[in-house]
Amino acid sequence: MFLEIKNLKVTYKTVNGLSTVLNNFELPLNSGDIVSIVGESGSGKSTLGGAITRLLPPSGNESGEIIIDGKNILALNEMEMTGMRGTTIFMIFQNPLNSLNPVKTVGFQLSEAVKIRSERNNENLTEEQIKNEIISSLTSVRLPDPEQIMRRYPHELSGGQVQRVVISMALILKPKLLIADEPTTALDVTIQAQVINLLKELNKKIHMSIIFITHDLSLAYVISNKVMVMYAGRIMELNNTDDVVKKSMHPYTTALLKSVPVDYKGNSRLYYIPGAPPSFFNLPKGCKFNPRCDKVFEKCRVEEPTLLSLGSEGKVRCWLYE
Amino acid sequence: MIDKTMTETKTTFNKVGYFGTLIKDKSALIGIVIAGAFLIWSLIQGILENLASYTGYSRLGYLLLPSNPFATNFSQRLAPPSFSSLSMVFGTNDLGESIVSRMLYAMPRDALVSVIVVFSAIVIGALLGIISGYRGGWLENIIMRITDAFLSIPALILVIAISIPLKAGFDAVIIALSIVWWPTYARFFRAQTLRVKEMDYVQAARINGVNPFNIFFKYLFLNSVDPIIAYAALDFGNVILTYSTLAFLGIGLTIPIPELGAMASTGLSYLPADWWYSLFPSITILIIVVGFVLVGDRYQDVINNRIDY
Amino acid sequence: MNTNLMIYIVRRAIYAFVTLIFIIVIVYFLIHIIAPSPYALAGIYAGSGHHTRAELNSIISKYHLNAPLYEQVLLYIGNILHGNLGYDPVYKIPEIDLIGRFLPRTLELVIPAILFSTLLGIITGAFGASHRRKIQDQGVKGTYLVTWASPPFFVAIVLQLFIAYDLGLLPATGIASSALTPPPDVTGFPLLNGIVAGNLGYTLSVIHHMILPALAIALLSFGVITRLTRSSMLDAMESDYFKLELMKGVERNKAIYGTALRNASIPIVTLLALTFGYAVAGAVVVEDIFDYHGMGWFIVQAIYSTDYIAILGTTIIIAISIILANLIADILYGVIDPRVRVR
């Protein structure tokens, strides 16, 4: 097992006291896997990204174990954690417009990445080699005229271009684990597809494991081999992508699948799940999804189900399968 | 797109409301207590002072004070602070008048100045800012150049320039401060207008011929009221500072009515031996302003979701 | 050179000039609202005391107060652009000469004060932001709160009382020791005069006398700068680009004091003009208390003698200095931040 998260608990300090967003969270990930974390906003899926990279906002606190390559990163000090970031774990953020430093050129920001990696691996690169590496990585993410791009400032690039620059940074750093937090949400549909393909290529070429955070189940289907569905900070369903999509078990997953637009059926009415995800301050009693569930029965309102193992890989948190 | 962790905490704010969040912060609560006590005291004392001058029954004016602020006592000139009686806690001035009584008597004027100036600034600023943001074109250009022009002169200096020919009375200072205080608000409202103008529901309302002032009161003024409250709270403090500085320079006084800044100024000539004369009025201004700045500062933190618990 | 930047600078310069014209017009209109008749206006121009009809008439004809308003405004603008700010009724010399005497002394006080408070404010604000939710940040918040809320005269009085009177460390009043003969006034700036004349004793005395009032002025703008730095540092530290920097593997302190602080200090540059305004307004009270004969002291004297020509003249000159400061800030902003130029 390459990444193992056990007993992870993430809390935020707020005016109303502690808010527990993730509790008893677990996630096993094999080397080379692409797992999608799917959920509505407010399900705690982005908190997970912050927890693994240890970049939670200052009000956040995490405990438990996150083991990468046999090392529990929650036990590392700040210096050691800095050493993990970049070359072991890397994260792509959602909003491409803000993800590069606005007052430095693209070339400068990529050269920093090259220097960090080469320092850690004692590579001793010349300026010429650094430049060539940047150009080749910009070329592999299919940015035309890389030398021109290097001289540009982030505000002179489009959102899709910035996102590809960030992916080229991943290419340079060659992390073992890449976390992509809704990397395509802010992009046009055509560019979305390109970014997804680039990520899949990275996964194949340098055997990079990817955690793909999204609210869009159809994207998850395209990119990943495993899907985890989250709701109110809880894992609702975890299984191979094909199983989740074709034989979904949890009513929430089924509802999410129904709300994916399918044009060719000619049915233009889009399904949506009634209600909104609960706030972490007044979570419903029993199963957290019960107020919005169409298969709810008495037990769901009283007691919260545990995560049940089904077969070899599948897990589901629902009383229907007890 | 907003960071997800932010939206998670945001939901809780919407539930409790900004103010509910604010009073849970200790330092904001201190600020609210100071500013609230100052304003409530000023209201009560101000009513009493006015009643006193209308009815001619002057005792009303110092009914709630430890002693008559105008009672001179030459045997008690420049007496140091003592706890012998309530009127002596901050000592007496060169005429033997009780400093604490005079300070309490002076407060309603500081409150009045800050309330009038901040509110007129909001009204003028909203009007000019919204018009220039909504209309655009040459009108916007002219209004914004005028705003820049006003912002290029420190308020204190401009108030001096305006109030001196007005014979520098209390009313003159209020008028002068109101004339110079609005530009920040005009800029703020213009920025908000430009932002809201492009939103779909405002566009729709415009196309449907809804009166622009209705649009802006409903969608704009009420939408941006929280940042305004935060800034205005801070600004109360700024007005009080400027007003007391003017009083320190002898502008805006009505002899013989006491004023905090003027007391600090007169007390200067008795330094360092009779330190209490200047020190207590100065510290009182400091504390009042701290109260307002705390409220405004924390309110802004709450709005930006940046309050630390 | 970068054409975008050139266009940007030219545009800012034109704006600055237009703003200046607006200021002059506004000031002139305000006086007219206050004193609508030529005689009332002449009375204000003449200063305090009783004036005969003949005296007022001569002032009216001298300043063309009978002419139509637009002509008066144009005349006034023309005069100011030619450096003619009127004739001072108290000192009996042209106003511009008086201001020329007092302005350099204030600049000599205010500029070091601003540099000091900006530097200190940026360091303190950044320190607070990087220790958010810790006791250090609470301290920073408390400090900017108190310096912000302190009445200007209070700061000056406390410094004078403790450091000058009680401890006797620094002189309490004046520009230089009165026992020394000032060197010839070549530059207008007392400090430069001392240096030019090679008069070490005088130069040191000037520095000695400058410290307390400059410190008082610096403390007045310290709060605003610290607060702004802290909050724009927090903005930068919450941004995705800061997180990406950490994500790349850049050390936290390097990211905070390199990237975040650099980006956060960009808006501070735009605050330069505002700070300058604060400092000049503060100098009015501070120079009065420290009996430092600069422009602030001169304004207070003009208030006491109701020398309105002097008040108007100083107001306009202060506005011009602030517009210039603003222009410099705008240009610096354009140089530092590539995003600004395209706007």
Side-chain angles (χ1 to χ4, degrees):
Chain A
M1 197 104 2
F2 161 66
L3 166 78
E4 203 168 6
I5 301 179
K6 283 191 263 178
N7 277 327
L8 179 67
K9 181 176 185 175
V10 178
T11 57
Y12 288 102
K13 266 188 190 170
T14 76
V15 244
N16 301 327
L18 274 190
S19 147
T20 306
V21 173
L22 296 179
N23 199 3
N24 258 327
F25 186 88
E26 51 185 277
L27 172 69
L29 185 68
N30 290 318
S31 181
D33 267 357
I34 303 184
V35 59
S36 286
I37 313 274
V38 184
E40 289 167 282
S41 55
S43 60
K45 60 191 196 306
S46 287
T47 291
L48 181 63
I52 299 174
T53 54
R54 285 191 42 195
L55 289 177
L56 289 170
S59 59
N61 187 40
E62 52 183 311
S63 61
E65 278 178 274
I66 299 177
I67 299 162
I68 296 180
D69 266 352
K71 239 191 259 177
N72 179 10
I73 60 164
L74 294 192
L76 301 179
N77 65 26
E78 182 60 36
M79 271 299 282
E80 293 166 326
M81 190 60 212
T82 301
M84 297 290 280
R85 292 194 194 114
T87 44
T88 307
I89 316 169
F90 187 71
M91 181 160 166
I92 299 174
F93 297 97
Q94 188 183 116
N95 189 347
L97 292 178
N98 293 331
S99 56
L100 290 176
N101 186 348
V103 298
K104 289 278 161 67
T105 60
V106 169
F108 178 85
Q109 301 188 48
L110 289 174
S111 71
E112 266 190 337
V114 180
K115 281 173 192 160
I116 284 167
R117 190 210 61 215
S118 60
E119 239 170 67
R120 287 183 191 167
N121 302 346
N122 299 317
E123 287 171 47
N124 278 329
L125 299 179
T126 62
E127 285 297 319
E128 188 63 30
Q129 286 171 306
I130 291 175
K131 197 185 166 194
N132 286 339
E133 184 173 349
I134 293 172
I135 289 174
S136 81
S137 70
L138 285 173
T139 314
S140 14
V141 294
R142 294 188 199 94
L143 279 166
D145 202 355
E147 297 210 32
Q148 171 72 19
I149 297 271
M150 280 178 72
R151 281 193 296 271
R152 295 255 181 96
Y153 288 98
H155 72 272
E156 296 167 325
L157 303 182
S158 72
Q161 285 175 318
V162 172
Q163 211 59 306
R164 275 180 281 181
V165 168
V166 178
I167 293 174
S168 78
M169 199 178 275
L171 208 59
I172 289 168
L173 290 162
K174 299 192 177 60
K176 293 173 183 147
L177 172 65
L178 177 76
I179 301 166
D181 186 359
E182 306 235 14
T184 61
T185 308
L187 303 179
D188 286 344
V189 185
T190 45
I191 301 175
Q192 260 189 28
Q194 293 177 13
V195 169
I196 298 284
N197 286 336
L198 277 173
L199 290 176
K200 279 174 104 169
E201 256 174 57
L202 277 183
N203 168 257
K204 282 216 187 77
K205 250 196 227 162
I206 51 177
H207 215 62
M208 185 188 286
S209 309
I210 297 178
I211 295 179
F212 188 82
I213 298 173
T214 181
H215 62 271
D216 188 343
L217 205 50
S218 55
L219 278 183
Y221 179 65
V222 176
I223 191 168
S224 53
N225 50 5
K226 257 188 184 178
V227 170
M228 171 189 282
V229 178
M230 279 182 77
Y231 189 82
R234 279 131 178 98
I235 303 165
M236 291 313 211
E237 182 163 356
L238 172 66
N239 213 336
N240 296 320
T241 306
D242 274 345
D243 290 333
V244 168
V245 173
K246 289 176 184 143
K247 306 181 280 192
S248 71
M249 288 180 292
H250 200 285
Y252 179 56
T253 316
T254 316
L256 280 179
L257 281 167
K258 270 205 277 180
S259 53
V260 172
V262 208
D263 286 342
Y264 53 83
K265 274 188 181 166
N267 185 356
S268 59
R269 279 284 288 280
L270 203 57
Y271 176 82
Y272 65 94
I273 311 171
S279 141
F280 281 98
F281 283 105
N282 54 10
L283 290 175
K285 219 176 158 233
C287 173
K288 303 309 164 212
F289 185 60
N290 85 67
R292 301 170 77 190
C293 184
D294 54 0
K295 296 207 173 69
V296 61
F297 55 97
E298 202 41 49
K299 194 172 185 184
C300 306
R301 296 202 179 90
V302 187
E303 203 180 328
E304 182 168 16
T306 49
L307 195 59
L308 302 164
S309 288
L310 298 164
S312 57
E313 306 251 358
K315 285 179 179 183
V316 67
R317 189 189 297 276
C318 183
W319 287 127
L320 289 172
Y321 301 92
E322 203 197 9
Chain B
M1 266 277 194
I2 322 158
D3 185 19
K4 283 297 168 330
T5 52
M6 282 217 358
T7 28
E8 276 160 18
T9 17
K10 269 268 163 64
T11 29
T12 65
F13 284 139
N14 293 338
K15 212 179 67 204
V16 188
Y18 284 145
F19 193 76
T21 312
L22 189 67
I23 51 170
K24 286 189 181 165
D25 182 74
K26 244 180 268 154
S27 52
L29 195 62
I30 295 173
I32 291 171
V33 168
I34 295 173
F38 166 70
L39 289 176
I40 290 168
W41 167 258
S42 298
L43 184 68
I44 296 169
Q45 174 64 16
I47 290 173
L48 287 176
E49 283 174 28
N50 274 309
L51 275 180
S53 72
Y54 282 128
T55 58
Y57 185 60
S58 59
R59 245 200 77 87
L60 272 178
Y62 50 91
L63 197 64
L64 301 175
L65 304 181
S67 66
N68 180 351
F70 301 106
T72 52
N73 180 352
F74 286 95
S75 63
Q76 286 275 24
R77 288 185 60 204
L78 295 169
S82 80
F83 290 103
S84 58
S85 79
L86 204 53
S87 62
M88 297 295 286
V89 285
F90 292 164
T92 64
N93 66 8
D94 49 330
L95 299 173
E97 296 165 328
S98 155
I99 287 179
V100 67
S101 296
R102 289 177 71 76
M103 275 167 41
L104 288 170
Y105 193 88
M107 282 180 191
R109 314 193 123 227
D110 293 80
L112 187 68
V113 172
S114 55
V115 169
I116 291 181
V117 171
V118 169
F119 276 95
S120 62
I122 291 176
V123 171
I124 301 172
L127 213 63
L128 293 179
I130 290 173
I131 289 174
S132 67
Y134 192 70
R135 281 282 308 273
W138 61 271
L139 190 65
E140 179 184 25
N141 260 320
I142 289 185
I143 292 177
M144 289 334 284
R145 278 322 102 207
I146 294 176
T147 309
D148 283 352
F150 270 98
L151 283 173
S152 303
I153 314 176
L156 183 78
I157 309 280
L158 196 51
V159 170
I160 292 174
I162 297 171
S163 58
I164 290 290
L166 288 172
K167 296 289 171 267
F170 181 65
D171 301 341
V173 164
I174 290 189
I175 293 169
L177 280 169
S178 306
I179 290 175
V180 307
W181 215 262
W182 55 269
T184 326
Y185 291 91
R187 276 201 175 174
F188 176 81
F189 275 107
R190 175 176 162 269
Q192 292 282 319
T193 311
L194 292 178
R195 192 175 59 81
V196 174
K197 197 166 107 179
E198 299 311 318
M199 288 184 176
D200 292 341
Y201 55 88
V202 174
Q203 293 282 11
R206 276 176 95 178
I207 292 163
N208 289 326
V210 178
N211 179 340
F213 274 91
N214 273 346
I215 296 178
F216 280 99
F217 187 72
K218 241 185 172 153
Y219 297 122
L220 183 94
F221 193 84
L222 295 183
N223 266 342
S224 47
V225 80
D226 278 303
I228 294 172
I229 292 175
Y231 184 76
L234 246 157
D235 220 19
F236 275 109
N238 290 337
V239 175
I240 291 173
L241 277 182
T242 308
Y243 174 61
S244 65
T245 307
L246 288 165
F248 180 89
L249 297 171
I251 296 171
L253 305 176
T254 317
I255 308 294
I257 295 171
E259 210 297 316
L260 293 174
M263 289 167 79
S265 168
T266 325
L268 259 189
S269 24
Y270 297 90
L271 284 174
D274 310 310
W275 49 271
W276 55 89
Y277 194 166
S278 193
L279 194 72
F280 286 116
S282 302
I283 287 185
T284 306
I285 297 170
L286 172 74
I287 290 173
I288 293 170
V289 178
V290 162
F292 282 111
V293 175
L294 265 181
V295 177
D297 202 31
R298 291 300 169 274
Y299 210 115
Q300 238 146 41
D301 281 347
V302 173
I303 292 169
N304 297 337
N305 197 7
R306 206 172 262 171
I307 203 144
D308 298 336
Y309 319 103
Chain C
M1 201 191 149
N2 193 321
T3 36
N4 274 344
L5 187 60
M6 286 302 286
I7 294 168
Y8 169 79
I9 291 174
V10 170
R11 201 191 308 141
R12 296 321 304 182
I14 294 171
Y15 270 156
F17 185 75
V18 173
T19 308
L20 173 65
I21 301 295
F22 267 92
I23 286 174
I24 300 172
V25 174
I26 288 167
V27 168
Y28 204 76
F29 270 98
L30 284 176
I31 308 162
H32 258 272
I33 294 166
I34 293 159
S37 81
Y39 280 102
L41 207 55
I44 287 172
Y45 275 34
S48 62
H50 183 74
H51 303 283
T52 63
R53 194 99 183 155
E55 278 171 348
L56 292 180
N57 277 328
S58 83
I59 289 174
I60 288 173
S61 61
K62 192 169 159 199
Y63 290 105
H64 302 278
L65 301 181
N66 265 331
L69 191 58
Y70 75 91
E71 240 181 87
Q72 289 188 41
V73 172
L74 288 179
L75 199 71
Y76 192 62
I77 295 173
N79 276 339
I80 287 171
L81 296 182
H82 284 103
N84 177 4
L85 294 171
Y87 190 79
D88 193 285
V90 176
Y91 292 78
K92 314 283 181 208
I93 54 169
E95 197 57 55
I96 191 78
D97 294 346
L98 273 172
I99 292 175
R101 188 193 304 166
F102 292 116
L103 180 66
R105 298 175 181 173
T106 296
L107 291 180
E108 199 172 274
L109 201 59
V110 158
I111 291 172
I114 290 174
L115 293 180
F116 179 68
S117 72
T118 305
L119 201 67
L120 195 68
I122 288 178
I123 294 171
T124 318
F127 178 77
S130 65
H131 290 86
R132 188 171 172 204
R133 280 171 191 270
K134 298 198 183 113
I135 186 82
Q136 292 96 321
D137 190 30
Q138 296 298 328
V140 168
K141 280 194 200 168
T143 313
Y144 79 63
L145 188 72
V146 171
T147 47
W148 179 316
S150 297
F153 48 85
F154 182 63
V155 175
I157 290 170
V158 168
L159 286 178
Q160 196 182 42
L161 197 61
F162 284 104
I163 298 175
Y165 288 126
D166 268 14
L167 301 174
L169 289 178
L170 290 163
T173 56
I175 290 180
S177 166
S178 52
L180 299 168
T181 344
D185 188 3
V186 192
T187 60
F189 297 87
L191 188 64
L192 291 183
N193 285 342
I195 295 170
V196 168
N199 187 339
L200 185 67
Y202 184 81
T203 311
L204 286 180
S205 176
V206 170
I207 294 174
H208 226 94
H209 282 76
M210 254 174 61
I211 296 175
L212 277 186
L215 190 62
I217 292 171
L219 282 177
L220 295 177
S221 43
F222 169 78
V224 181
I225 295 170
T226 307
R227 180 172 182 265
L228 188 82
T229 310
R230 183 179 169 276
S231 78
S232 64
M233 269 297 274
L234 290 179
D235 282 340
M237 288 168 67
E238 281 166 10
S239 70
D240 280 354
Y241 69 78
F242 179 77
K243 286 194 226 155
L244 187 73
E245 194 104 325
L246 293 178
M247 211 55 257
K248 266 197 282 194
V250 176
E251 277 164 43
R252 194 174 186 87
N253 275 336
K254 201 181 153 203
I256 290 177
Y257 293 102
T259 307
L261 182 56
R262 195 200 128 105
N263 291 6
S265 40
I266 293 172
I268 313 290
V269 171
T270 59
L271 210 67
L272 189 73
L274 185 73
T275 315
F276 190 72
Y278 261 76
V280 171
V284 174
V285 170
V286 171
E287 288 183 5
D288 183 43
I289 289 171
F290 285 93
D291 199 29
Y292 184 98
H293 293 196
M295 190 116 116
W297 175 87
F298 177 57
I299 292 173
V300 177
Q301 301 308 307
I303 295 172
Y304 294 150
S305 55
T306 52
D307 180 351
Y308 201 58
I309 296 280
I311 289 174
L312 278 186
T314 45
T315 305
I316 302 247
I317 292 298
I318 287 171
I320 293 175
S321 335
I322 289 173
I323 290 173
L324 284 179
N326 221 339
L327 184 61
I328 294 170
D330 278 346
I331 292 172
L332 277 179
Y333 197 9
V335 172
I336 304 174
D337 191 337
R339 286 169 299 177
V340 178
R341 291 172 221 158
V342 281
R343 270 181 220 150

